């Protein structure tokens, strides 16, 4: 039996490509992510996790950025493929 797909970015496996389906959270947080290129439909993957689990490094659109684990939990994702 296959594992269920991740519901949010925090639960996504390290190294797997996923596609953003929805960004939740406060308006300022959503705006900041959208300015950085994290939009619904964007393929991205978790590349690194700090030793204590926070922050998380993401790869998307040819760049890398780090966000907090609590912020990653507000980004809904679906299985995706490499861009």
């Amino acid at each position: 039996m296959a594992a269920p797909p991740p519901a949010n970015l925090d639960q996504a496996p390290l190294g797997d490509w996923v596609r953003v389906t929805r960004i939740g959270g406060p308006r300022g947080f959503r705006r900041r992510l959208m300015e950085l290129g994290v939009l619904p439909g964007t393929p991205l993957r978790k590349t690194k996790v700090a030793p204590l689990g926070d922050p998380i490094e993401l790869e998307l659109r040819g760049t890398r950025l780090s966000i907090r684990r609590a912020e990653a939990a507000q980004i809904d994702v679906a299985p995706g493929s490499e861009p």
Side-chain angles (χ1 to χ4, degrees):
M1 184 171 177
N8 60 49
L9 185 55
D10 181 41
Q11 299 170 346
L14 193 65
D16 286 0
W17 286 94
V18 294
R19 191 165 299 278
V20 176
T21 57
R22 187 185 74 81
I23 301 171
R27 183 178 181 164
F29 167 69
R30 291 191 317 262
R31 172 182 267 171
R32 181 171 59 103
L33 284 182
M34 289 182 186
E35 288 171 351
L36 292 170
V38 182
L39 302 164
T42 303
L44 57 84
R45 68 179 172 156
K46 284 194 321 191
T47 55
K48 294 180 188 174
V49 178
L52 296 177
D54 204 14
I56 298 170
E57 183 181 85
L58 308 176
E59 179 183 350
L60 67 142
R61 300 180 189 238
T63 190
R64 293 180 184 224
L65 64 104
S66 294
I67 62 172
R68 295 180 185 102
R69 178 173 231 128
E71 294 171 339
Q74 298 178 35
I75 301 172
D76 292 341
V77 296
S81 59
E82 187 173 350

